[in-house]
Amino acid sequence: MSSHPRFDRGHTDDLMSFLAAAPSPYHAVASAARRLEKAGFRQVEETAPWDGETGGKYVLRGGAIIAWYLPGGARPSTPYRIVGAHTDSPNLRVKPIPDTGAHGWRQIAVEIYGGALLNTWLDRDLGISGRLTLKDGSHHLVVIDRPLLRVPQLAVHLDRSVNTEGLKLDKQRHMTPIWGLGRVEEGALIRYVADAAGVPAAEVGGWDLMAHSVEPPAYLGRDQELVAGPRMDNLLSVHSGTAALIAASARPDLPYIPVLAAFDHEENGSQSDTGAEGPLLGNVLERSVFARGGAYEDRARALAGTVCLSSDTGHAVHPNYAERHEPGHHPLPNGGPILKVNVNQRYSTDGGGRAVFAAACERAEVPWQTFVSNNAMPCGTTIGPITAARHGITTVDIGVAILSMHSARELCGAQDPQLLAKAMTAFLEG
């Protein structure tokens, strides 16, 4: 494998395990929490009083996690260094009345979540994951990680123009998975999923379920210098951010309070109680100040000195569609993390933020690249501008360059996850 001199394949192996263990946002935050617990962090409940003791803490809410490490000697006005990411990915979500079918087929009704590349979900073996909520309000994670569903594509014999005029998919008519033969049975899916979760189906009051590809992540290429896998957008950043926070917490003299903020619902606008536009991060930061005896003035001072790295995947130059990219900016896999810039504030990076990021990469001895969109192409966005506007903090958009973004299976450089984690660690350490 072609290699950066400090490349450790173990980090990428661990990312692949993380991706496989996190088929839903709920599993992603549970996996991150287990890693934090192993490093000495402890969960704090939002409904309980908080203390100002030093050490690592985290809050879980749905598919979001906010974790932070309070170093010894931190004052109420000590600024934060935040790594932001999101836990959700475009996919197929189970509808409230899931059991459906036609013409002798049993099917599952799904809703399209986020901007999924629909064709990548065709003819792919799919499992089901997510959570069940019981009538007593408790949540139970569930994953059925075997071929259970499939969205079959129409044969070319019945769609002769598919290779000349392109594939045309109707989200309502063409994306309903099959899971068997026979008549439709009301309640069959939830009974099946409840049994897999080990809970009584009669006690299930609600669910948040989704399809996921059961094909595991894998190294790709002659030299295995690439990684193919699901949900890299944006669990790659969640994994790197978790590793960076744990690494930073081992340093005894931190000048800032390092934070990991991994939100849900970025792929559909972040407007939820667990999304970046919700109050979760602000509440956590404010309560942390107050738990250390601070007041509003301390909170304002802390946020004024805070910087956030908003980490999300970005576009590597596509060799078959190079004309779609900005000709002077062609990020490549294994070239290090990318700085994402858009003067219309689709990304929040400015010159000051660039300097902070560049300094962190220099300390970590990590190469980095710059991404900007072609002027003739629309630019995506991230939690970065939302975080900057909602909390009034300096925010820098970064990430890893990938191909096949929003596909059921994406592609990145095998070295880039570790390079991102190293840059994040240097940033959190200040």
Side-chain angles (χ1 to χ4, degrees):
M1 179 187 297
S2 62
S3 173
H4 184 272
R6 298 175 63 187
F7 175 57
D8 176 10
R9 181 164 169 161
H11 179 93
T12 305
D13 289 343
D14 189 63
L15 167 65
M16 294 163 71
S17 297
F18 184 81
L19 294 173
S24 79
Y26 314 108
H27 289 84
V29 298
S31 183
R34 285 192 295 270
R35 292 161 186 259
L36 291 166
E37 290 273 357
K38 189 176 180 180
F41 285 66
R42 62 183 175 88
Q43 183 177 0
V44 294
E45 299 291 341
E46 292 185 83
T47 55
W50 291 7
D51 59 56
E53 295 179 3
T54 60
K57 304 177 178 70
Y58 69 90
V59 166
L60 284 180
R61 184 191 288 187
I65 183 169
I66 310 293
W68 66 101
Y69 182 81
L70 188 63
R75 303 179 307 278
S77 59
T78 297
Y80 300 91
R81 281 286 175 99
I82 303 169
V83 167
H86 67 87
T87 62
D88 60 319
S89 301
N91 60 13
L92 312 180
R93 301 282 176 111
V94 175
K95 286 185 175 180
I97 301 176
D99 298 291
T100 187
H103 308 291
W105 292 94
R106 290 179 179 172
Q107 295 175 275
I108 300 301
V110 296
E111 191 172 4
I112 309 302
Y113 179 85
L117 277 174
L118 297 181
N119 64 294
T120 67
W121 290 87
L122 301 179
D123 297 330
R124 191 178 292 275
D125 296 337
L126 306 174
I128 283 184
S129 58
R131 68 178 182 178
L132 299 174
T133 303
L134 302 192
K135 293 176 181 178
D136 63 5
S138 62
H139 301 296
H140 296 262
L141 297 186
V142 62
V143 56
I144 301 172
D145 199 29
R146 71 166 186 84
L148 183 68
L149 310 176
R150 187 178 179 91
V151 184
Q153 185 172 348
L154 188 63
V156 68
H157 313 76
L158 305 177
D159 187 7
R160 294 290 185 177
S161 64
V162 65
N163 290 324
T164 56
E165 298 180 13
L167 178 65
K168 298 178 176 63
L169 293 172
D170 183 286
K171 293 180 180 180
Q172 180 64 29
R173 294 187 296 126
H174 300 149
M175 296 305 297
T176 305
I178 60 172
W179 76 312
L181 297 168
R183 64 180 181 82
V184 176
E185 296 180 43
E186 184 178 352
L189 177 70
I190 299 306
R191 287 195 298 271
Y192 184 84
V193 174
D195 182 67
V199 300
E203 293 301 310
V204 175
W207 53 85
D208 301 281
L209 300 173
M210 58 206 72
H212 68 273
S213 170
V214 300
E215 185 180 3
Y219 288 100
L220 184 143
R222 186 195 67 178
D223 300 320
Q224 296 189 327
E225 58 192 336
L226 301 169
V227 173
R231 301 176 294 279
M232 291 184 182
D233 179 9
N234 187 31
L235 294 188
L236 191 160
S237 295
V238 176
H239 175 263
S240 290
T242 303
L245 178 59
I246 291 171
S249 70
R251 177 175 167 176
D253 56 344
L254 288 170
Y256 303 101
I257 300 170
V259 179
L260 168 69
F263 302 100
D264 201 352
H265 301 131
E266 189 272 348
E267 297 293 357
N268 58 16
S270 295
Q271 293 182 323
S272 72
D273 68 321
T274 53
E277 198 163 334
L280 183 58
L281 176 60
N283 287 349
V284 168
L285 299 182
E286 186 171 57
R287 290 186 68 178
S288 175
V289 169
F290 294 166
R292 284 173 278 137
Y296 180 85
E297 178 72 10
D298 298 296
R299 170 192 173 278
R301 292 172 60 193
L303 293 187
T306 292
V307 182
C308 174
L309 285 188
S310 163
S311 182
D312 204 346
T313 54
H315 302 295
V317 60
H318 197 303
N320 299 339
Y321 301 90
E323 73 281 358
R324 305 290 182 97
H325 298 267
E326 206 287 316
H329 299 75
H330 280 180
L332 280 172
N334 294 331
I338 55 174
L339 181 73
K340 301 158 80 172
V341 179
N342 180 266
V343 295
N344 294 303
Q345 293 300 296
R346 300 293 286 173
Y347 303 131
S348 54
T349 305
D350 63 9
R354 173 193 170 102
V356 171
F357 175 67
C361 290
E362 182 177 354
R363 289 194 301 274
E365 300 180 10
V366 166
W368 58 280
Q369 310 173 83
T370 303
F371 171 83
V372 64
S373 288
N374 185 310
N375 283 325
M377 302 294 295
C379 181
T381 191
T382 69
I383 65 166
I386 294 171
T387 303
R390 178 164 180 80
H391 306 290
I393 59 180
T394 299
T395 304
V396 190
D397 274 297
I398 66 164
V400 161
I402 71 169
L403 291 181
S404 305
M405 187 183 295
H406 286 198
S407 169
R409 195 167 177 84
E410 297 162 323
L411 186 72
C412 79
Q415 301 174 35
D416 282 330
Q418 184 197 26
L419 296 177
L420 177 65
K422 287 181 176 292
M424 287 177 170
T425 301
F427 165 76
L428 291 178
E429 291 177 347

